[in-house]
Amino acid sequence: DPDLFIRSIIPTAQEAENESISLLSSLDRNPEEFDKSNRSTKYFFYNVDKKVIVPVARNIDANIAEINFFRGGIDNLTTISSRFPNSSNYVRLASTDREFVPIEAQITFYERSPDKVGAYPLITGDAAFQALEKGEGTILLNSDPNNKNKIIKKMYLAYFEPDEYTQYLQPVYLFEGDGFAVFVPAIKN
């Protein structure tokens, strides 16, 4: 219904988060592993005439709120998804007169078995950087594809959780800079 986006009143991040948690709980899709301290709310404006969604900085400029739910850290490592820096687990809401309307939700959360763990040899950070230089990385974010001279601002070990089921989370080295992120698998061949 296009009218939903014309008269939307987007609530605060906390209100949107609470509504999303309530929705997921009512569907029995609110895993305990979602990190309670690691959620993010992003705001978007949906242009009804152009049928385009663009990110905006403030809720008062938005007609959609997206609440991202992240898996809690494992072994003190961050878990990332193909929607980096967002999560594959999210709820998008619109609201009118404080009535929330879920317009999209995705939970691609696969339970982990705490007793199925293994130790695998990892490549070094230097080896990961060399692989990146050879073009062996997987691009997660690239806001300026024409800029070939990226500046890496940080690199760290993380777990990659794909959208489709796999038995294990994959350790990766994540390289981040302004408007881009690339990962290189960390397990030694």
Side-chain angles (χ1 to χ4, degrees):
D1 181 10
D3 289 341
L4 176 65
F5 300 105
I6 294 170
R7 304 286 308 172
S8 289
I9 302 167
I10 295 299
T12 66
Q14 188 62 54
E15 290 171 317
E17 190 176 297
N18 290 344
E19 182 63 23
S20 296
I21 291 167
S22 176
L23 172 68
L24 293 179
S25 295
S26 74
L27 299 171
D28 198 27
R29 290 303 305 148
N30 192 15
E32 288 183 22
E33 272 192 66
F34 284 157
D35 188 345
K36 291 173 179 48
S37 65
N38 191 10
R39 298 183 187 122
S40 71
T41 301
K42 308 282 182 169
Y43 297 107
F44 299 89
F45 179 77
Y46 176 66
N47 184 313
V48 176
D49 297 328
K50 295 181 181 178
K51 297 183 180 173
V52 172
I53 297 175
V54 295
V56 294
R58 305 176 312 165
N59 66 325
I60 60 172
D61 300 324
N63 55 16
I64 297 173
E66 177 182 286
I67 298 77
N68 289 276
F69 296 87
F70 296 91
R71 184 186 286 270
I74 303 165
D75 301 328
N76 295 320
L77 298 178
T78 301
T79 302
I80 60 169
S81 78
S82 59
R83 292 184 72 235
F84 182 87
N86 299 322
S87 173
S88 293
N89 304 296
Y90 64 93
V91 174
R92 283 190 172 178
L93 299 170
S95 69
T96 303
D97 299 324
R98 293 293 190 226
E99 178 185 32
F100 292 94
V101 180
I103 56 173
E104 181 181 4
Q106 175 178 295
I107 302 297
T108 56
F109 187 89
Y110 303 106
E111 300 295 334
R112 291 184 306 139
S113 174
D115 54 340
K116 286 191 176 182
V117 296
Y120 298 93
L122 301 182
I123 63 174
T124 65
D126 288 337
F129 183 71
Q130 289 172 358
L132 179 66
E133 286 181 312
K134 293 178 192 173
E136 296 174 10
T138 299
I139 298 170
L140 295 174
L141 175 67
N142 189 6
S143 62
D144 186 3
N146 295 325
N147 178 1
K148 304 296 181 201
N149 298 314
K150 307 290 188 195
I151 297 173
I152 297 169
K153 295 198 172 181
K154 61 182 176 175
M155 177 200 87
Y156 54 94
L157 196 58
Y159 283 110
F160 178 70
E161 184 172 31
D163 293 335
E164 61 281 336
Y165 175 75
T166 59
Q167 285 188 315
Y168 305 99
L169 296 175
Q170 178 184 11
V172 297
Y173 283 99
L174 184 67
F175 297 87
E176 285 188 67
D178 291 334
F180 83 96
V182 178
F183 76 78
V184 172
I187 294 178
K188 194 179 281 189
N189 289 335

